[in-house]
Amino acid sequence: MPVNLGAPLSWKSAAGDDKAMLENLQPNILKAHTREFLSMFFVRFADQAKGKALLRALSAAPAKFLKSALDHLNEVAAFKASGTPGTSYFGVGLTKPGYDLLGVPPAKQPGDTAFRAGMATQAGALGDPAASAWEAGLSGAHAVILVGDQLAPPQAAAVLKLKALLAAHPGVTVLVRQNGHGQHNDNEEGIEHFGYVDGRSQPIFLNEDLAAEKLGKDGITTWDAAFPIGRAIVADPAAPTPAKHFGSYFVFRKLEQNVKLFKKEEEKLATRLGLTGDDAERAGAMIVGRFEDGTPLAVQFAEGSCNPVPNDFDYSSDSEGGKCPYFGHIRKMNPRGSGGFEPLAAERLHIMARRGQTYGVRTDGLNDGKIANKPTKDVGLLFMAFNADIGEQFEFVQKNWANFGGFPKVAAGVGAPGPDLIIGNGARPDVECPVQWGSAIGVPPRKTTRTTKAAVTMKGGDYFFMPSIAFLRSL
């Protein structure tokens, strides 16, 4: 039977076209591949022959580099059953200029309009700095090659293996290498550099993972984490059999974080609102929508709901923004049916599979609670996300949720939320905050105060398509 893009997939029982799809799909798309240590190589090819030769070598069977999504899932199952470690992650994405150089006819190239235009052409519409100000090498590549592993030694060995392959293929130039590695709080949960648990709310595409979310975490009663695989993958038009061979649009953005500025702004907001003692932590939670340990502000007035970090919630009990303000980052980025412009089913079409990784070396105490020693540059997030439709997913979210000051719609008598205070671009109006958690509209204390300063700078990026392994082997 044809691959059903309209529902989650049961990978353990996959057969026929479903199995063929998994055997030729790159890993890290339908399920995140563990990669605490990651290197991204942005490369250009001297000519068509050089590009094809490298891509064939990366995908040649038996797999020494690229493994399939099915191989990855079997490795995960083996590790859970017996502790057998899996192999390193390799991923390959191509830009529109990369497809052109390889001589793929336009009719057989991925057809997404945003992909074909490239991220640099969208800088103005996305509110980004002009592409001329971006870091060199983060755009203009023909391809990106990702190398990751849970542990540093095997990741370093995998990088050496890739470097040897690149050396054996003259005519392939590395424009820039970008390294990332995970950051963790004292509970060993992944955090971003501002100190907040990151990546908890993800679309789940595999029924086996959905069962684990239901039984092993906080459940799926309130928020349905199940998403159809068609929100992450599309048929690969250049593959030998597009009905069986799939890929995904890969969005990459380097987001630099000024940690010292952000922590100062948290402190200033708490002071302006008169929050003291343990309650001062709620100022940062208003900005993010979660406390540092991941506790959603819509659920509790203080942190303490970790292990597991909650995801089974919505904003139905906070329709007036008296718990989590409308401008809270996770509320703007995933309104969970409360956006006010579209029904829930339409809102869910914009959700992406995020696979980000922090970058930069920290010399301060990551979780020491100090501000003066925090970095102002050279650390941040390598934002990565898989999309079935860049315009409907990443670009829609950035333009209409993150940047749009009128999203989400607010209850009568409440001020507009303004742009997202983490990744939003544009003028920042004053914000209305509940001085006491759960305060109703018109019932003091709520306070309108000046907003926080922007502490994230977009440094560059691009749009790629992660093609099927079958296509790469066919070159």
Side-chain angles (χ1 to χ4, degrees), residues 265-353:
E265 290 297 297
E266 280 184 324
E267 190 175 63
K268 290 178 181 178
L269 180 61
T271 299
R272 292 196 296 272
L273 296 176
L275 307 182
T276 60
D278 291 342
D279 197 34
E281 296 295 322
R282 196 159 49 87
M286 289 186 204
I287 299 170
V288 177
R290 293 183 186 266
F291 289 92
E292 289 189 356
D293 74 344
T295 302
L297 188 56
V299 174
Q300 286 188 191
F301 63 86
E303 61 184 0
S305 284
C306 59
N307 298 323
V309 173
N311 187 49
D312 190 27
F313 70 95
D314 60 21
Y315 297 100
S316 57
S317 65
D318 190 27
S319 60
E320 297 183 350
K323 299 173 182 177
C324 177
Y326 296 104
F327 60 78
H329 171 65
I330 69 166
R331 186 164 190 167
K332 280 183 71 77
M333 293 299 96
N334 184 3
R336 298 172 184 252
S338 69
F341 288 87
E342 300 175 297
L344 175 59
E347 273 188 5
R348 288 169 63 89
L349 294 176
H350 309 305
I351 302 299
M352 299 164 280

Side-chain angles (χ1 to χ4, degrees), residues 35-241:
R35 62 213 184 291
E36 282 291 298
F37 298 88
L38 178 73
S39 295
M40 305 179 71
F41 294 81
F42 296 83
V43 303
R44 285 186 65 85
F45 308 131
D47 56 42
Q48 182 181 124
K50 301 293 193 303
K52 286 185 173 183
L54 177 68
L55 295 173
R56 284 197 304 268
L58 282 168
S59 59
K64 294 182 179 179
F65 294 94
L66 280 182
K67 61 185 170 188
S68 71
L70 186 58
D71 290 335
H72 170 226
L73 293 168
N74 280 318
E75 286 184 353
V76 172
F79 179 77
K80 290 180 178 178
S82 62
T84 304
T87 58
S88 295
Y89 163 61
F90 287 87
V92 175
L94 298 170
T95 59
K96 172 66 166 67
Y99 274 94
D100 291 339
L101 185 83
L102 294 173
V104 179
K108 291 206 167 195
Q109 294 182 20
D112 184 275
T113 303
F115 166 76
R116 292 193 170 199
M119 186 182 292
T121 68
Q122 303 303 304
L126 295 171
D128 294 333
S132 58
W134 294 0
E135 286 187 6
L138 296 180
S139 63
H142 290 136
V144 63
I145 305 171
L146 291 80
V147 187
D149 202 284
Q150 184 69 10
L151 302 174
Q155 196 268 347
V159 166
L160 288 176
K161 187 167 71 170
L162 176 63
K163 284 185 173 181
L165 183 70
L166 293 173
H169 287 78
V172 178
T173 301
V174 177
L175 299 179
V176 67
R177 173 182 171 180
Q178 180 67 65
N179 294 322
H181 63 276
Q183 306 287 337
H184 300 270
N185 62 17
D186 293 336
N187 294 318
E188 290 303 313
E189 293 150 336
I191 59 174
E192 46 71 51
H193 285 289
F194 293 151
Y196 290 80
V197 167
D198 191 35
R200 174 65 180 98
S201 176
Q202 294 277 12
I204 296 177
F205 301 111
L206 302 175
N207 285 319
E208 292 82 357
D209 291 345
L210 190 66
E213 181 78 9
K214 178 180 179 180
L215 300 175
K217 295 188 179 178
D218 62 325
I220 55 173
T221 304
T222 303
W223 172 249
D224 183 6
F227 282 74
I229 61 174
R231 299 318 298 157
I233 64 172
V234 295
D236 184 346
T241 311

